[in-house]
Amino acid sequence: AQLMCVDGPMARHVEDLQLAYHILAGRDPRDPFSVTAPLQGPSPEAKRAALVTNIPGVTLPDSALAAIRRAGIELSAQGWQLEEIAPPELERVNELWGQLLATDIAQMLPLVSPMMSEPALKLLHELTATFDAANIPSMVLHTERARLMRLWSGFFQDYPLVIGPTWTDIPFLHDADISSSDATNTVFTQLKFITPGNLLGIPAVALPMGIANGLPTGVQIYADLWREDLCLQAAVQIEQAVGQICPIDPIR
């Protein structure tokens, strides 16, 4: 099984995630894609970590860059070599994720429309228009997804850990994702480094890194397929240095 933590809701501390992972991992006949994989893999031959500080189409805020580099410093103290480099074809990853998502949404819209607000429906219609299913045949879509999975697995052989931002900008105002004049861009700009986990099926841990200018910051840690243990080990090491940051009361 693969385990993803987002800032706050899934667990308060990384050790809780490790416990949950050991309980949830393994084959379940109700999930045809699940397998029983080793919970602990071999130590990487090269302890190199890629720090993703440059994402096509966005300018990361200083707070995100500081969080990524702080995480790198703590990994460096554990013997990891660091390099600021991006994984392959991030733009294509985001394009394919949008296409897959929009294809599903287009088929669900008649069912969910009666239950949704007008602003939310407007966002979904904008999304399906932006990622028109007619733009890419289904066979090409899935072939490209497999190609990108292979490319990223190759990248992980050189850089077993990849550390980047969670969102690619500071948190937006409440409801800006459905009510702003450019809601689709607002949503997709923020998700440009979350999408690899969704499209490629790779494990990820999103780790809180503290507060900057009154707003939460965090990093996202990726590893190759079935290497949840590497993500969790790295998250534990970083968390031990920056402290265990539990959810706080929202500021109004």
Side-chain angles (χ1 to χ4, degrees):
Q2 290 168 343
L3 185 63
M4 177 175 288
C5 163
V6 295
D7 290 349
M10 184 169 283
R12 288 177 175 266
H13 307 306
V14 179
E15 288 181 353
D16 297 335
L17 285 180
Q18 289 179 311
L19 177 61
Y21 172 54
H22 281 75
I23 294 171
L24 296 173
R27 175 82 170 110
D28 189 315
R30 295 169 297 179
D31 179 0
F33 296 102
S34 65
V35 300
T36 297
L39 299 184
Q40 190 76 26
S43 297
E45 292 184 8
K47 291 184 68 174
R48 284 196 295 267
L51 302 185
V52 184
T53 56
N54 185 16
I55 293 178
V58 299
T59 299
L60 294 178
D62 290 342
S63 57
L65 294 173
I68 294 166
R69 288 170 178 147
R70 171 71 192 282
I73 289 171
E74 304 310 334
L75 289 177
S76 178
Q78 301 296 324
W80 287 85
Q81 300 174 5
L82 309 177
E83 184 176 344
E84 294 194 7
I85 183 174
E89 299 190 37
L90 268 172
E91 287 180 290
R92 187 61 165 163
V93 168
N94 280 281
E95 180 186 0
L96 291 188
W97 181 78
Q99 290 289 161
L100 281 170
L101 184 65
T103 299
D104 288 343
I105 288 175
Q107 296 182 33
M108 291 190 302
L109 270 173
L111 298 174
V112 301
S113 292
M115 300 177 283
M116 299 188 69
S117 66
E118 284 301 319
L121 278 175
K122 180 175 179 291
L123 172 65
L124 295 184
H125 282 293
E126 288 177 358
L127 189 150
T128 56
T130 301
F131 297 98
D132 189 345
N135 291 339
I136 180 169
S138 176
M139 182 179 71
V140 175
L141 185 62
H142 290 283
T143 300
E144 275 290 271
R145 178 173 180 259
R147 182 183 69 84
L148 290 169
M149 292 177 70
R150 185 175 66 249
L151 276 181
W152 277 59
S153 285
F155 185 83
F156 282 123
Q157 305 315 300
D158 296 325
Y159 302 93
L161 285 177
V162 175
I163 317 296
T166 46
W167 281 9
T168 58
D169 202 349
I170 62 173
F172 49 69
L173 294 174
H174 182 65
D175 276 350
D177 54 335
I178 58 173
S179 61
S180 70
S181 59
D182 194 17
T184 301
N185 188 56
T186 297
V187 172
F188 276 90
T189 296
Q190 294 279 29
L191 300 180
K192 283 182 179 290
F193 200 66
I194 292 176
T195 51
N198 289 272
L199 181 78
L200 308 176
I202 54 179
V205 174
L207 183 69
M209 292 292 288
I211 302 295
N213 302 317
L215 295 171
T217 64
V219 295
Q220 186 145 229
I221 306 167
Y222 282 128
D224 200 5
L225 288 166
W226 317 118
R227 292 313 307 265
E228 285 84 354
D229 58 315
L230 285 180
C231 288
L232 291 165
Q233 288 167 12
V236 165
Q237 292 167 353
I238 297 168
E239 185 183 62
Q240 287 174 347
V242 303
Q244 293 180 321
I245 301 165
C246 296
I248 60 173
D249 292 333
I251 299 174
R252 296 184 180 276

